[in-house]
Amino acid sequence: MSRSAHPAGPRHADVLPEGHYSAPPADLNALDPKVWAQTVERGEDGVVTVGGIGVTQLAEEYGTPAYVLDEADFRARARAWRTAFGTDADVFYAGKAFLSRAVVRWLNEEGLNLDVCSGGELATALSAGMPADRIAFHGNNKSPEEIERAVHAGVGRIVLDSFQEIVRVAHIAQSLGKRQRVQIRITVGVEAHTHEFIATAHEDQKFGIPLAGGHAAEAVRRALQLDGLELIGIHSHIGSQIFDMSGFEVAAHRVVGLLKDIRDEHGIELPEIDLGGGLGIAYTSDDDPREPHEIAKALTEIVTRECESAKLRTPRISVEPGRAIVGPTAFTLYEVGTVKPLDGLRTYVSVDGGMSDNIRTALYDAEYTVALVSRASDAEPMLVRVVGKHCESGDIVVKDAFLPGDLAPGDLIAVPATGAYCRSMASNYNHVLRPPVVAVREGEARVVVRRETEEDLLRLDVG
Ligand SMILES: *Cc1c(COP(=O)(O)O)cnc(C)c1O
């Protein structure tokens, strides 16, 4: 398996045959609802609209590149997760996928909780009014200052990731005169991504405390002894872009096994179990993600069954979807700058952004699709690679796709399913300015994260 295909890449390098894009889609003007946000459609004039607004108008008003986010779609997905899990479970949106104050307000209104994993994410959440008790604080190396701010703010839980952190959080909580609710993140020897998972005996990763070797049980022992901590549960997060539920099945089995050991040793039943996030979305038409209600049903059944056989009360379940909520809600709108046919190979289409606004292709071998959105075209399909404007040959946005053969500079193209891990991983490479996030809803567009300016860049550069 190639390093670059793991962990947040869309699929294992070995799963799909090379070049499965060999045949162009039947209709290049069609927009597969699987990969596009729900209000996206192509109007009769050929211009694609979102929330009732044409992309040509958006480009004119806000410039390109821009992330265009369908607010109705975001809210619908958030609500679907919330509803699917009901009142006996908690849904924490993983803020690292994409976080802004508008998003925090939407989540708050839709009744979701929020995962943060840095002081910056915590500050964003609090400044947009997310109640602290609905925030979970993650991370494998939270600084003492971050821990102090989180405890002081009263976050609902801190997810402990190491032996040092157990002591650190306990100490800080005690010095603030508080008892902090915590979970312990364990690694259960399950590595899941895409269509398969690997169950191994040992762990080789930075997150969590290994279940194997009795380490997780020892962490529980220590946490239970410390006055500053209230241990409420066990946390497990097994991977990213997962379609196959069997990894969760093995993970739940092992976590419940630990809960049973804890009951046998300490006489207590921990009330919560967090199964993390990682649920997959459709980046291309080949991907078949499950609906939230199917996932909720499967996860609830797995945990209930495991607890029944261990004779444990079923704990309250929480899940942490990030990508599955925000990923499909946005597309990146680019303007074509150059079109360069290479004989017998492919045509390189250069856009006005690139790896600074979408690093996933370079980092994970991620796959995306692309469409011409400023007009319809009946021209023959041509095989393209969509590349950015950066000084790097790996600056690829879409590796292989088909666009109409009459594509020309000035056309607008859009890459769907860029809501997660694109703006949040964006950089200033080549001093390129990070694009805005424009939220569209019912015929109205507004900037929720503005475009960076050269002034922003120069303000950081103090000379
Ligand atoms: C990244 C992460 C998530 C969210 O993952 P998605 O693939 O976006 O659903 C949830 N929980 C934890 C602990 C994570 O690290």
Side-chain angles (χ1 to χ4, degrees):
M1 184 189 75
S2 78
R3 160 68 189 86
S4 60
H6 172 73
R11 48 174 57 95
H12 249 252
D14 339 303
V15 172
L16 281 177
E18 279 287 310
H20 67 290
Y21 265 117
S22 51
D27 178 6
L28 277 184
N29 295 312
L31 301 167
D32 184 349
K34 247 207 267 184
V35 296
W36 293 89
Q38 76 183 19
T39 73
V40 172
E41 57 191 22
R42 194 182 290 277
E44 269 165 29
D45 57 357
V47 176
V48 169
T49 64
V50 53
I53 305 184
V55 292
T56 42
Q57 187 187 334
L58 290 170
E60 218 163 273
E61 274 175 40
Y62 305 104
T64 55
Y67 303 103
V68 181
L69 198 162
D70 182 345
E71 180 182 340
D73 192 34
F74 184 99
R75 286 178 180 272
R77 287 175 202 277
R79 207 172 305 141
W81 277 86
R82 183 77 218 97
T83 314
F85 279 87
T87 50
D88 294 335
D90 297 302
V91 180
F92 286 78
Y93 170 78
K96 71 178 199 243
F98 172 63
L99 197 64
S100 76
R101 290 193 276 191
V103 158
V104 173
R105 283 192 292 271
W106 301 339
L107 292 166
N108 200 354
E109 285 164 17
E110 300 298 340
L112 273 73
N113 306 315
L114 178 62
D115 271 359
V116 299
C117 60
S118 71
E121 288 183 0
L122 179 63
T124 305
L126 292 173
S127 85
M130 179 59 83
D133 63 352
R134 282 167 49 200
I135 298 175
F137 195 32
H138 275 275
N140 67 301
N141 188 18
K142 310 165 190 78
S143 72
E145 293 74 25
E146 286 173 324
I147 295 168
E148 191 168 330
R149 276 165 64 200
V151 174
H152 182 73
V155 298
R157 63 177 64 160
I158 293 180
V159 182
L160 303 172
D161 199 88
S162 65
F163 283 97
Q164 283 92 358
E165 203 170 74
I166 293 172
V167 178
R168 221 170 264 163
V169 172
H171 185 76
I172 291 171
Q174 230 176 347
S175 71
L176 292 173
K178 294 206 179 197
R179 191 147 184 258
Q180 178 61 48
R181 287 159 60 86
V182 295
Q183 292 187 336
I184 294 175
R185 177 164 175 177
I186 67 167
T187 44
V188 293
V190 172
E191 189 188 37
H193 25 118
T194 309
H195 303 286
E196 58 180 308
F197 77 97
I198 306 164
T200 52
H202 74 280
E203 288 298 337
D204 189 0
Q205 60 147 312
K206 71 172 185 171
F207 292 112
I209 297 175
L211 181 64
H215 297 288
E218 178 58 21
V220 169
R221 239 166 256 139
R222 294 191 194 178
L224 287 174
Q225 278 167 8
L226 294 166
D227 290 338
L229 305 181
E230 179 189 350
L231 181 62
I232 58 165
I234 300 296
H235 182 284
S236 151
H237 171 76
I238 57 172
S240 286
Q241 185 60 1
I242 305 168
F243 294 109
D244 176 356
M245 300 303 284
S246 49
F248 287 101
E249 190 143 6
V250 176
H253 174 74
R254 294 182 181 172
V255 172
V256 171
L258 177 62
L259 293 181
K260 185 167 172 278
D261 291 347
I262 293 169
R263 188 222 23 223
D264 295 345
E265 182 178 342
H266 306 281
I268 53 168
E269 295 192 22
L270 294 183
E272 296 194 19
I273 172 173
D274 191 316
L275 294 172
L279 285 313
I281 64 164
Y283 283 102
T284 75
S285 298
D286 293 330
D287 294 322
D288 279 307
R290 293 179 182 224
E291 295 293 321
H293 68 267
E294 294 175 273
I295 294 162
K297 187 162 175 283
L299 291 182
T300 310
E301 278 175 8
I302 292 167
V303 173
T304 308
R305 183 170 6 102
E306 291 295 332
C307 287
E308 267 168 19
S309 74
K311 300 201 163 47
L312 284 167
R313 241 173 293 136
T314 304
R316 189 174 177 87
I317 298 172
S318 43
V319 288
E320 305 173 328
R323 183 193 321 261
I325 292 176
V326 73
T329 66
F331 59 81
T332 313
L333 186 61
Y334 298 105
E335 184 176 308
V336 173
T338 69
V339 179
K340 190 186 287 182
L342 295 186
D343 291 344
L345 293 168
R346 69 180 88 243
T347 296
Y348 278 80
V349 173
S350 295
V351 295
D352 46 359
M355 65 193 297
S356 55
D357 60 71
N358 187 346
I359 192 65
R360 293 189 67 259
T361 307
L363 193 58
Y364 305 126
D365 268 338
E367 287 181 36
Y368 286 94
T369 60
V370 59
L372 170 60
V373 289
S374 48
R375 62 186 172 91
S377 167
D378 294 326
E380 287 299 306
M382 62 174 172
L383 180 64
V384 302
R385 176 161 290 176
V386 179
V387 296
K389 60 182 288 163
H390 296 279
C391 304
E392 177 95 37
S393 51
D395 172 24
I396 297 168
V397 180
V398 186
K399 226 175 351 172
D400 293 299
F402 288 91
L403 282 170
D406 63 351
L407 191 78
D411 279 332
L412 299 177
I413 61 176
V415 175
T418 57
Y421 305 107
C422 287
R423 181 59 181 80
S424 67
M425 293 178 117
S427 77
N428 286 121
Y429 182 41
N430 290 135
H431 285 203
V432 164
L433 307 167
R434 287 179 293 178
V437 180
V438 179
V440 180
R441 185 191 187 189
E442 290 171 5
E444 276 180 40
R446 73 187 166 108
V447 175
V448 295
V449 179
R450 73 159 165 80
R451 183 183 303 283
E452 228 164 16
T453 63
E454 287 177 2
E455 240 170 48
D456 291 327
L457 287 185
L458 291 172
R459 205 176 297 142
L460 295 178
D461 181 341
V462 294

